[in-house]
């Protein structure tokens, strides 16, 4: 397996624009996590899914953020409209319940 | 709400030293605990996973322990090398199955 795949690796966008981050989990994994990492706040859990169903989205900072998992092999995190304070590295991770969580390489988002 | 704490925030040691990184957690119903390594500008690499029923796991020069009763885990690195320099993060898989991270320990091994 190629591991958790995230795209794009880097995204630079203007304030107010819509941003969509994508994640392909490891095949067979039934948990998918979205995290945001900043120097100030470290790694923050935004939302996680089990069997494509959102379990806890209490970490989503605002209504501008939304996440979907239409099937077991794909998830998106959308920010609309984007703001400069959304600039961060966004990570996706997947796992089975009792196994290691594996992370993607992240998407570095810059909102100018 | 689960909380995970890592102390110290930064550590600098000379090459060859054995060292211990600490992680404490509040969830008594822990499912498992995982240690990661993160190099600057990179993603997270899994190092060790300890299930709640286990006391320790070993991989090469790394040994991780878990004490549920005290809410603590340690990562022991033997004979440290400059290539071990990175940020080390622990993450608890809690009763609700989410993965909660500590803020990490930034390790520098001096040649």
């Amino acid at each position: 397996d190629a591991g958790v795949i995230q795209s794009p690796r880097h995204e630079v966008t203007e304030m107010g624009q819509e941003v969509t981050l994508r994640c392909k989990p490891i095949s067979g994994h039934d948990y998918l996590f979205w995290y945001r990492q900043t120097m100030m706040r470290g790694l923050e859990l935004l939302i996680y899914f089990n069997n494509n169903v959102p379990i806890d989205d209490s970490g989503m900072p605002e209504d501008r953020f939304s996440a979907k998992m239409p099937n077991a092999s794909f998830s998106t995190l959308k920010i609309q409209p984007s703001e400069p304070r959304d600039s961060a590295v966004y990570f996706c991770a997947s796992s089975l319940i009792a196994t290691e969580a594996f992370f993607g390489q992240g998407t570095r988002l810059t909102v100018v | 709400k689960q909380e995970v704490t890592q102390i110290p925030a930064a550590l600098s040691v000379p090459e060859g030293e054995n060292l211990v990184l600490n992680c404490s957690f509040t969830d008594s119903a822990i499912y498992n605990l995982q240690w990661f390594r993160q190099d600057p500008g990179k993603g997270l690499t899994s190092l060790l996973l300890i299930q709640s029923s286990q006391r320790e796991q070993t991989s090469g020069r790394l040994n991780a322990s878990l004490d549920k009763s005290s809410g603590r885990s340690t990562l022991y690195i033997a004979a440290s090398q400059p290539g071990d320099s990175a940020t080390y993060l622990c993450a608890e898989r809690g009763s609700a199955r989410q993965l909660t991270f500590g803020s990490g320990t930034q390790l520098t091994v001096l040649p």
Side-chain angles (χ1 to χ4, degrees):
Chain A
D1 200 312
V4 177
I5 300 173
Q6 292 186 245
S7 64
R9 292 291 309 276
H10 302 273
E11 177 81 34
V12 180
T13 191
E14 291 185 350
M15 182 174 63
Q17 296 298 307
E18 177 180 296
V19 175
T20 299
L21 311 181
R22 297 172 176 80
C23 176
K24 176 179 169 54
I26 292 173
S27 177
H29 281 185
D30 56 0
Y31 279 84
L32 185 140
F33 304 87
W34 281 101
Y35 288 89
R36 178 172 68 178
Q37 187 176 41
T38 60
M39 289 292 293
M40 291 297 295
R41 301 175 68 92
L43 267 167
E44 300 174 279
L45 177 64
L46 300 176
I47 185 172
Y48 73 101
F49 295 83
N50 178 220
N51 291 321
N52 313 337
V53 176
I55 303 301
D56 185 353
D57 65 354
S58 60
M60 298 284 261
E62 299 173 32
D63 290 345
R64 299 184 295 106
F65 286 69
S66 63
K68 294 182 180 180
M69 192 164 185
N71 56 63
S73 60
F74 184 64
S75 178
T76 59
L77 178 67
K78 186 177 294 186
I79 308 172
Q80 166 63 19
S82 57
E83 296 183 3
R85 59 195 168 117
D86 300 331
S87 298
V89 180
Y90 291 80
F91 286 104
C92 174
S94 72
S95 79
L96 294 169
I97 178 57
T99 64
E100 294 171 275
F102 291 93
F103 277 69
Q105 288 301 298
T107 295
R108 183 173 297 276
L109 174 65
T110 303
V111 183
V112 298
Chain B
K1 182 180 178 181
Q2 296 163 241
E3 289 188 7
V4 180
T5 305
Q6 291 187 250
I7 296 174
L11 181 64
S12 183
V13 300
E15 181 178 3
E17 265 201 17
N18 302 325
L19 60 100
V20 174
L21 306 180
N22 297 295
C23 173
S24 60
F25 50 90
T26 58
D27 190 350
S28 59
I30 182 174
Y31 197 79
N32 59 44
L33 189 134
Q34 193 169 354
W35 283 92
F36 293 85
R37 168 186 174 138
Q38 186 175 31
D39 293 286
K42 303 293 186 182
L44 280 73
T45 300
S46 178
L47 297 174
L48 287 165
L49 173 74
I50 312 176
Q51 302 293 351
S52 60
S53 58
Q54 298 175 319
R55 292 298 300 267
E56 63 179 58
Q57 281 287 333
T58 298
S59 176
R61 295 182 295 108
L62 306 179
N63 176 277
S65 68
L66 177 65
D67 184 342
K68 286 194 302 179
S69 61
S70 65
R72 293 181 182 178
S73 176
T74 61
L75 180 67
Y76 175 83
I77 303 177
S80 58
Q81 304 169 357
D84 295 330
S85 298
T87 296
Y88 290 80
L89 297 127
C90 68
E92 178 214 7
R93 196 78 179 261
S95 51
R97 306 299 183 252
Q98 74 274 36
L99 201 58
T100 303
F101 279 83
S103 54
T105 295
Q106 185 174 354
L107 173 66
T108 303
V109 181
L110 303 169

